[in-house]
Amino acid sequence: MQYRTLGRTGVQVSTLALGAMNFGAIGRTTQEEATAIVDAALEGGVNLIDTADMYGAGESEEMVGKAVAGRRDDIVLATKATMPMGDERNHRGSSRRWLVTALDNSLRRLGVDHVDLYQIHRWDPSTSDEETLSALTDLQRSGKIRYFGSSTFPAYRVVQAQWAARANHLGRYVTEQPSYSILQRGIEGDVLPVAEEYGLGVLAWSPLATGWLSGAVREGREITTSRSKILPERFDLSLPSNRARLDAVERLAKVADESGLTMIQLALGFVTAHPAVTAALIGPRTQEHLRTQLAAADTVLPADVLDAIDAIVAPGTDLAAQEKFDTPPALLDPSLRRR
């Protein structure tokens, strides 16, 4: 396992970090299975575990808490808030009112008195940066969180939050957690350069592109991944974007074969090769998934392999633009771009 400094915090984290979204109902993972995955990940050198309050409506946090009991101090523990937690209209977002409550709920579920990294899961257009940063700064000063970060923010919002922190003498986001993979490279044009400019740690989620780069999706083979059952439209080969992804996967598989690598090693090695990226978040559902992903822990792709990848998916290109999660609201809601 390799380790890198998380932004400018001085905290050393593994270049492969464990994402716990699949713990519980989402991945049909039992507590026993989740604990076994955590055990194997830690044994393999992973020292950062990332979850969120909305994963399984709190179930993931509870399972992570039980799995890390007795060894909390050896783990960089991260969670998130802002996504809806039930139907109550104020049990979501990034207002002070909700963040204070949401963090207490997360700490209770995790069974800890603090988290190392507390992340705003999505930008909340209805709440000012000053409101959110002020609440996070107070939570940090109270000792309940050590650092705070953003997740899937558009680049301009990352910049705006940095300026708001400076202008109001508040703590700042020290990390960003974007979606990034060989098939979704759009953030190379904006988010990653901004992260480098402001010294943010970057925790890349979905480095296997929701299973497209796991090796299980190939031409002429029935797609049976768990994600294809939950999100069938993302694997519908009648859609041009999915056809383009499959064509790219076939070419990438050839590059991997010629380089003596698995598709997973190629995919994770690509993400961790970018100088702005601190760690790739892996989200295994089984111990076998974890084993194949940890095999990429020491993968360093040579320049000719990275060049071959660039020739297949051009830098800064998203092959499935409709699946971007940081699209500005005005591009999604016509009322926001019309008088």
Side-chain angles (χ1 to χ4, degrees), residues 10-223:
V11 176
Q12 297 291 300
V13 298
S14 50
T15 54
L16 295 184
L18 180 62
M21 187 176 74
N22 278 319
F23 288 5
I26 295 176
R28 305 184 304 281
T29 308
T30 66
Q31 180 65 60
E32 183 179 3
E33 291 168 332
T35 299
I37 289 171
V38 169
D39 289 345
L42 297 181
E43 185 177 346
V46 171
N47 75 338
L48 189 156
I49 300 177
D50 176 83
T51 184
D53 58 1
M54 61 86 64
Y55 295 163
E59 187 179 19
S60 173
E61 287 184 324
E62 291 177 353
M63 295 175 81
V64 167
K66 292 175 182 176
V68 304
R71 46 190 174 181
R72 165 69 182 90
D73 292 342
D74 299 329
I75 296 165
V76 178
L77 186 59
T79 192
K80 314 180 199 70
T82 71
M83 301 291 271
M85 291 293 287
D87 296 330
E88 164 56 43
R89 67 186 64 200
N90 285 313
H91 288 187
R92 67 192 68 191
S94 56
S95 68
R96 174 183 288 271
R97 182 181 188 274
W98 175 238
L99 290 180
V100 170
T101 299
L103 177 59
D104 282 343
N105 290 340
S106 288
L107 294 177
R108 173 179 49 79
R109 287 189 290 263
L110 287 163
V112 299
D113 61 4
H114 75 280
V115 292
D116 297 296
L117 179 63
Y118 198 49
Q119 300 156 103
I120 300 301
H121 210 153
R122 295 288 188 273
W123 171 54
D124 175 9
S126 65
T127 307
S128 71
D129 290 311
E130 292 84 353
E131 164 86 0
T132 302
L133 292 170
S134 175
L136 292 170
T137 300
D138 286 347
L139 291 171
Q140 184 181 50
R141 289 171 177 166
S142 74
K144 292 183 177 181
I145 61 178
R146 297 295 186 255
Y147 307 98
F148 49 89
S150 57
S151 176
T152 323
F153 274 33
Y156 75 98
R157 295 309 316 176
V158 174
V159 173
Q160 181 60 32
Q162 295 291 316
W163 278 94
R166 180 181 299 178
N168 293 279
H169 307 289
L170 298 169
R172 70 183 190 100
Y173 296 129
V174 299
T175 59
E176 162 59 16
Q177 188 178 134
S179 174
Y180 183 46
S181 72
I182 294 175
L183 303 182
Q184 295 289 95
R185 302 182 60 174
I187 65 167
E188 292 174 345
D190 43 41
V191 172
L192 293 183
V194 164
E196 289 186 286
E197 175 71 21
Y198 287 97
L200 303 183
V202 172
L203 306 174
W205 62 271
S206 198
L208 299 182
T210 61
W212 278 95
L213 298 173
S214 67
V217 180
R218 296 295 302 275
E219 184 72 67
R221 185 185 302 174
E222 183 182 1
I223 301 176

